[in-house]
Amino acid sequence: MEFTRTLRKGMSGDDVLYAKQRLFELGMYEGVEKIEKRSFGSDTYDAVIKFQKQAFVSKNEWDGVIGRKTWAALFDDT
């Protein structure tokens, strides 16, 4: 799937589910056994922050939003 829009808390869709599944594969969710919902909630926000802290040195990039740069980092080795 290609990046088509910036994803943030409160959004939903197939691209949100796709990103959530990747975050899950990478172990970014705590206490979650499977991903089914297409909505971007607090748990996804926390998972994105956790991923961004590992992927980016600059705290300015830890915003809990899946923009083009975070999307690229999530899917760079797939």
Side-chain angles (χ1 to χ4, degrees), residues 42-43 49 66 69-70:
S42 295
D43 59 339
I49 291 286
I66 302 175
K69 186 172 182 176
T70 299

Side-chain angles (χ1 to χ4, degrees), residues 33-45:
E33 294 184 22
K34 65 180 179 175
I35 301 295
E36 295 179 318
K37 295 182 180 178
R38 290 170 160 66
S39 57
F40 193 133
S42 295
D43 59 339
T44 302
Y45 175 86

Side-chain angles (χ1 to χ4, degrees), residues 12-60:
S12 63
D14 290 338
D15 51 353
V16 173
L17 178 61
Y18 188 71
K20 287 174 65 168
Q21 289 171 332
R22 181 64 176 149
L23 287 162
F24 181 76
E25 290 171 3
L26 296 171
M28 298 298 126
Y29 285 94
E30 294 184 30
V32 175
E33 294 184 22
K34 65 180 179 175
I35 301 295
E36 295 179 318
K37 295 182 180 178
R38 290 170 160 66
S39 57
F40 193 133
S42 295
D43 59 339
T44 302
Y45 175 86
D46 292 343
V48 173
I49 291 286
K50 185 175 180 180
F51 173 77
Q52 289 173 330
K53 285 180 177 181
Q54 291 179 8
F56 307 130
V57 174
S58 173
K59 290 182 181 182
N60 293 334

Side-chain angles (χ1 to χ4, degrees), residues 61-74:
E61 296 175 297
W62 305 347
D63 58 7
V65 173
I66 302 175
R68 189 171 300 278
K69 186 172 182 176
T70 299
W71 183 276
L74 274 171

